[in-house]
Amino acid sequence: MSAPVVTVLGLGEAGGRLAADLVSAGVEVHGYDPMTSAPEGAVQADDPAAAVSGSSVVLALTTAATALAAAESALPGLRAGAVYADLNTASPELKREIGALVAGAGARFADVALLGAVPAHGLRTPTLASGPGAQAFADVFRPVGMPVEVVSDRPGDAAIRKLVRSVFMKGLAASVLESLRAADAAGQARWLEGEIAAVIGEPLLERLVEGSRRHALRRVDEMEAARELLLELGVEPRIAAASASVLAELAASGQEHGR
């Protein structure tokens, strides 16, 4: 079997880290991002179609809002049999829509969910994959160190697991943020930080607080997708809705990205 050629669409924190790790692992990497250059050792492309041309696997790490447009722009260069993996946190419905588009082009779609902080862990980030291209995705990425669990051959199944998990993780973050805000107003922030850290650990506490501040706007979209999923499942999305509200307030306050 020939060595894989991997294209990364979207070279932000997550995409850039994965691209750099793949280069370090000896993989030929192509990249495209209208705002960011590919990491050293990767081939910078001028447009999405050129970026994916000749690639065996495409990793889309744009945003949920632009995921469908990214797939459409890549299709002209996507070769038959290639794996198009969407790693954005998006609704199962959107994953299925992209999957149908990819299948129509003769390629294989993988719905991929990343279950951790990619900028911190890179290829070591625990990953779920579903869809017709899930096993092929796993066959490429497991050998370079990514722990991939194949969920099913149905697009959207990995997204479902990610979103129901997000209700807990972002709900936990929202409760931490609200309690710390109250403690700060009462002059007890240091004490409460110690109490929370004693329960969940200092690293997770920092991840919940700083991650929420850095990615508040993107996580609002994530929790809206989670809210819609819960409604479809017949579950009242009280925590998901509240978490989205907390994150929206955080983004509006100008604290996102440390502003």
Side-chain angles (χ1 to χ4, degrees):
M1 185 170 124
S2 59
V5 177
V6 177
T7 290
V8 180
L9 300 178
L11 296 164
E13 279 189 314
R17 173 62 193 270
L18 290 179
D21 280 6
L22 287 166
V23 169
S24 296
V27 177
E28 181 179 342
V29 178
H30 298 191
Y32 172 76
D33 190 306
M35 304 297 292
T36 307
S37 297
E40 185 176 354
V43 178
Q44 180 81 38
D46 294 329
D47 60 74
V52 307
S53 179
S55 292
S56 45
V57 182
V58 178
L59 306 182
L61 294 110
T62 54
T63 63
T66 60
L68 185 59
E72 290 172 337
S73 65
L75 285 187
L78 197 62
R79 69 173 178 81
V83 174
Y84 186 95
D86 186 277
L87 282 69
N88 297 296
T89 300
S91 69
E93 181 182 358
L94 179 57
K95 295 280 188 166
R96 288 189 283 266
E97 187 175 358
I98 297 171
L101 194 68
V102 170
R108 295 172 290 174
F109 179 71
D111 164 17
V112 177
L114 299 163
L115 302 183
V118 179
H121 303 295
L123 284 174
R124 300 290 176 183
T125 305
T127 303
L128 304 176
S130 69
Q135 188 58 57
F137 174 88
D139 290 343
V140 170
F141 283 88
R142 282 172 180 161
V144 293
M146 179 173 273
V148 181
E149 178 187 349
V150 175
V151 175
S152 75
D153 61 0
R154 296 182 301 274
D157 284 358
I160 288 172
R161 290 194 181 190
K162 172 67 181 284
L163 290 175
V164 295
R165 178 182 183 272
S166 293
V167 174
F168 167 73
M169 290 300 294
K170 275 56 180 186
L172 180 60
S175 70
V176 166
L177 290 166
E178 184 171 293
S179 61
L180 286 176
R181 184 178 177 184
D184 185 54
Q188 301 296 329
R190 271 191 168 291
W191 174 82
L192 186 59
E193 284 175 2
E195 288 293 299
I196 296 173
V199 176
I200 66 174
E202 184 67 36
L204 180 55
L205 173 59
E206 183 176 356
R207 175 183 163 192
L208 293 174
V209 173
E210 295 306 318
S212 296
R213 287 174 177 163
R214 287 179 64 83
H215 305 294
L217 194 58
R218 175 174 62 78
R219 290 181 178 179
V220 171
D221 293 338
E222 180 177 338
M223 295 318 296
E224 286 297 336
R227 187 186 67 82
E228 291 172 9
L229 173 62
L230 265 60
L231 287 172
E232 291 174 13
L233 296 173
V235 176
E236 182 65 29
R238 297 183 181 91
I239 302 301
S243 300
S245 177
V246 170
L247 288 163
E249 183 180 347
L250 192 62
S253 72
Q255 292 186 52
E256 188 189 15
H257 301 298
R259 290 196 300 271

